[in-house]
Amino acid sequence: MELLVYILKANVLFTILFATYCIALRRETHFRLRRVWLLIAGILSMVLPLLPSPITTDIALSYQLPTYVHTTGPIPEAGFWNSIPVIAWCYVLITILLLVRSIVLFVRTYRSLHQMRSAAYSFFGRIVLPDNLSSEDHAAMLAHEQVHVREGHSFDLLLFELLSILNWLNPLWRMAQRELKLVHEFTADAEAKEHHNRYDALLLARSLGVSSSLLLN
């Protein structure tokens, strides 16, 4: 029961914080501020429900228990509140399965790093760039991935992956994870533009799978 109440409180708080982000910050170009808000929203949502409430009351609640009569008839079916422990165990079981699945995908990604050379990407401290890049394209893409490594974007995504698994009942966590990843890309693109005169054309060329020198105005 306490587990379900904690999860409910955490998700209500995160829903409020993420809705505030969508209304006030989603269209802002201060990408690092947006990143900080998303990270703080995720962490506070999980921490604040664990803290003792500052409001204390001495109100005593009374409740008149119903009268039960013992009979030899059939046993009545269990009510909803009797099934709460089963619901909690189902939640824990699904969470464990999702966590195992995420670990398997993480290991597969780590093992296949040396095989993926068709696109630029970074994975924690490792940077992989495509082959046969011009010097200008190489400098811009390297600057892009270095931002991801320097600012620890992989740790952000790992944190939100864990939080999304713990709160799999609420799809807003996955939406926030995608939003955080998009903010990471915006932040890195802003840095990479300083190393490439036609960075937008480079992004278009990479999405089409061709060299940027082949694009015509």
Side-chain angles (χ1 to χ4, degrees):
M1 183 64 178
E2 293 182 359
L3 173 63
L4 296 180
V5 171
Y6 165 72
I7 294 298
L8 178 61
K9 289 180 179 180
N11 281 275
V12 169
L13 181 57
F14 180 76
T15 299
I16 296 173
L17 293 175
F18 186 61
T20 303
Y21 166 85
C22 292
I23 295 172
L25 294 176
R26 197 170 191 180
R27 297 183 181 275
E28 294 292 329
T29 56
H30 302 288
F31 303 126
R32 287 182 172 84
L33 175 62
R34 290 167 60 179
R35 175 199 178 195
V36 170
W37 181 279
L38 290 171
L39 292 175
I40 290 179
I43 295 173
L44 286 182
S45 298
M46 302 302 294
V47 172
L48 287 183
L50 297 174
L51 300 179
S53 175
I55 302 175
T56 58
T57 60
D58 296 328
I59 299 176
L61 300 178
S62 62
Y63 178 73
Q64 182 68 35
L65 294 176
T67 302
Y68 291 94
V69 178
H70 294 280
T71 66
T72 58
I75 300 175
E77 296 182 0
F80 171 76
W81 296 108
N82 300 100
S83 62
I84 283 199
V86 177
I87 297 176
W89 277 110
C90 290
Y91 169 83
V92 172
L93 178 61
I94 295 176
T95 301
I96 293 175
L97 292 176
L98 292 175
L99 182 60
V100 172
R101 174 181 175 272
S102 182
I103 293 175
V104 171
L105 292 177
F106 179 88
V107 173
R108 287 180 179 177
T109 301
Y110 182 80
R111 290 180 176 178
S112 61
L113 286 178
H114 64 282
Q115 301 175 356
M116 299 183 293
R117 306 288 299 187
S118 59
Y121 64 92
S122 59
F123 192 73
F124 291 94
R126 182 182 177 87
I127 296 177
V128 176
L129 298 177
D131 298 323
N132 302 322
L133 289 175
S134 66
S135 58
E136 188 179 22
D137 290 355
H138 185 277
M141 299 182 77
L142 179 61
H144 179 105
E145 299 304 329
Q146 283 178 335
V147 173
H148 290 314
V149 173
R150 184 171 63 250
E151 299 195 3
H153 290 170
S154 295
F155 293 98
D156 294 357
L157 297 179
L158 183 62
L159 172 63
F160 255 83
E161 178 66 21
L162 178 60
L163 296 179
S164 299
I165 291 173
L166 294 176
N167 301 278
W168 55 269
L169 288 171
N170 188 353
L172 291 181
W173 288 92
R174 289 295 179 184
M175 293 176 59
Q177 185 180 18
R178 291 192 293 268
E179 182 70 17
L180 182 61
K181 187 175 182 180
L182 186 62
V183 170
H184 289 167
E185 295 302 320
F186 288 155
T187 304
D189 286 341
E191 178 78 16
K193 285 182 179 180
E194 300 180 2
H195 297 79
H196 201 292
N197 295 328
R198 300 174 65 246
Y199 184 70
D200 295 338
L202 172 61
L203 294 180
L204 176 60
R206 298 311 305 177
S207 65
L208 296 176
V210 299
S211 172
S212 60
S213 60
L214 297 179
L215 294 180
L216 299 177
N217 188 346

